[in-house]
Amino acid sequence: MARIEAFHGINGDVQRLHGPVVCGYRSFAVDGRVIVQIDTYGSPERKIPNKVSQSIQLDVKGARELIGILQEVFPELGP
């Protein structure tokens, strides 16, 4: 599990589409700070299907930054 503190653009040569999985999310407060947690679940082919595979957490600062990135990458989302 990881709480994202900052985003950094990266360059890479590999452009491969990953297989689809299910994603769950929830929010909760810790010391008055709201956190959203996003969990991805393993594909049906994994040894333990539907087990949480990755988790990331964002606070409001990280959420704002991610929204900005998404709006830049997908301009059709609008402001």
Side-chain angles (χ1 to χ4, degrees):
M1 187 177 319
R3 186 171 44 84
I4 296 174
E5 287 281 320
F7 291 89
H8 299 282
I10 58 171
N11 294 322
D13 295 335
V14 179
Q15 296 180 4
R16 181 177 64 102
L17 185 63
H18 293 221
V21 296
V22 173
C23 181
Y25 69 92
R26 60 188 167 120
S27 62
F28 54 92
V30 176
D31 298 327
R33 193 162 99 180
V34 176
I35 302 293
V36 65
Q37 180 170 317
I38 300 169
D39 299 320
T40 61
Y41 299 92
S43 66
E45 296 81 31
R46 291 194 55 166
K47 187 175 180 179
I48 305 173
N50 299 319
K51 178 182 176 192
V52 172
S53 184
Q54 294 94 20
S55 295
I56 62 167
Q57 296 178 339
L58 296 165
D59 61 10
V60 70
K61 178 183 172 289
R64 277 193 189 106
E65 193 170 348
L66 179 57
I67 288 168
I69 292 166
L70 293 172
Q71 288 174 328
E72 183 179 319
V73 172
F74 301 107
E76 63 270 22
L77 291 175

